[in-house]
Amino acid sequence: MAKDLELFDNKIIILYILEKNYKALTIEQITKFCEDFDDITYFDICSYIQELESNNYIAESYNESGDVLYKITPSGLSTLQELLELIPGVNLHNIKKIINKNFVKIKTDYSIENTVVPVNDDEFKVSCYIKDGNDELVNITMYAANKDQARNITKNWNNNAEEIYEKLLQMMTKETTDDE
């Protein structure tokens, strides 16, 4: 029973990783996300991927190089949302921490950058963005009242861009009611 529960949890982790990424991932990239989990090996991931795909929770596609990419399906997303409620808060927090830590290590085609432009002696315009190839996924421009504030904006963007992007995306895509 404990082994079945572990397999169940690990499959949820794979679905969670795929849901949190804005683009499809290779098995190698998924493996990098999982490298800090003691009980998930490359061979386990291959097995989980095969089972999740056969149950239509994930789908495969191919990039220009012919690499197999995996993305969560609508069925996988709704199942994941239901199952996440079953994971205790502490475990989910740890999963999120490990995945966010490894998110930076995953080499995809995106880049995190910023530019600081002086407006006058003590005012700066700071543009922070994430690029996916030639496309900008997000571009946020803010004014900083001084050099320290501009430095803090760039430092925090460089260290937390994925988390900021994820929160922004959640906030911007959240449905609102007419009362709000």
Side-chain angles (χ1 to χ4, degrees):
M1 177 69 177
K3 184 69 173 165
D4 290 341
L5 189 57
E6 181 182 309
L7 291 173
F8 170 78
D9 289 346
N10 292 345
K11 289 176 194 169
I12 291 174
I13 290 170
I14 302 298
L15 287 175
Y16 185 81
I17 289 168
L18 292 172
E19 190 264 334
K20 290 300 173 192
N21 282 278
Y22 58 90
K23 60 192 299 182
L25 298 174
T26 65
I27 286 184
E28 290 75 19
Q29 290 170 322
I30 295 168
T31 302
K32 286 184 182 183
F33 272 110
C34 295
E35 67 186 14
D36 290 339
F37 293 103
D38 295 331
D39 56 346
I40 303 178
T41 68
Y42 175 82
F43 299 107
D44 293 332
I45 291 169
C46 291
S47 171
Y48 303 150
I49 293 282
Q50 186 178 23
E51 189 171 331
L52 290 167
E53 188 175 20
S54 70
N55 289 317
N56 295 319
Y57 294 135
I58 63 173
E60 71 177 42
S61 61
Y62 299 90
N63 64 12
E64 304 82 39
S65 307
D67 298 324
V68 180
L69 302 172
Y70 296 95
K71 189 154 187 85
I72 193 166
T73 63
S75 173
L77 183 59
S78 66
T79 301
L80 175 65
Q81 290 169 343
E82 291 175 21
L83 296 176
L84 281 178
E85 295 176 11
L86 301 175
I87 299 175
V90 174
N91 290 346
L92 186 57
H93 176 73
N94 289 338
I95 290 168
K96 286 179 181 179
K97 223 165 78 173
I98 289 171
I99 290 170
N100 286 338
K101 177 183 154 232
N102 291 340
F103 192 83
V104 178
K105 295 178 185 178
I106 307 305
K107 296 293 184 201
T108 57
D109 294 347
Y110 75 92
S111 62
I112 297 168
E113 301 177 31
N114 56 58
T115 56
V116 179
V117 177
V119 175
N120 58 41
D121 289 343
D122 208 27
E123 203 173 302
F124 300 87
K125 183 169 86 170
V126 182
S127 292
C128 304
Y129 47 93
I130 299 176
K131 287 186 175 181
D132 182 11
N134 292 329
D135 298 325
E136 283 187 349
L137 298 177
V138 67
N139 184 343
I140 302 170
T141 301
M142 296 172 271
Y143 284 90
N146 56 51
K147 190 181 274 189
D148 288 336
Q149 194 176 41
R151 188 181 357 252
N152 287 338
I153 290 170
T154 60
K155 180 182 175 187
N156 284 320
W157 180 256
N158 290 336
N159 292 334
N160 304 303
E162 292 91 358
E163 185 178 328
I164 294 167
Y165 176 73
E166 180 181 318
K167 285 181 183 178
L168 235 151
L169 191 60
Q170 286 173 352
M171 292 174 70
M172 298 297 287
T173 58
K174 181 172 65 169
E175 288 189 35
T176 58
T177 62
D178 293 334
D179 297 338
E180 294 181 289

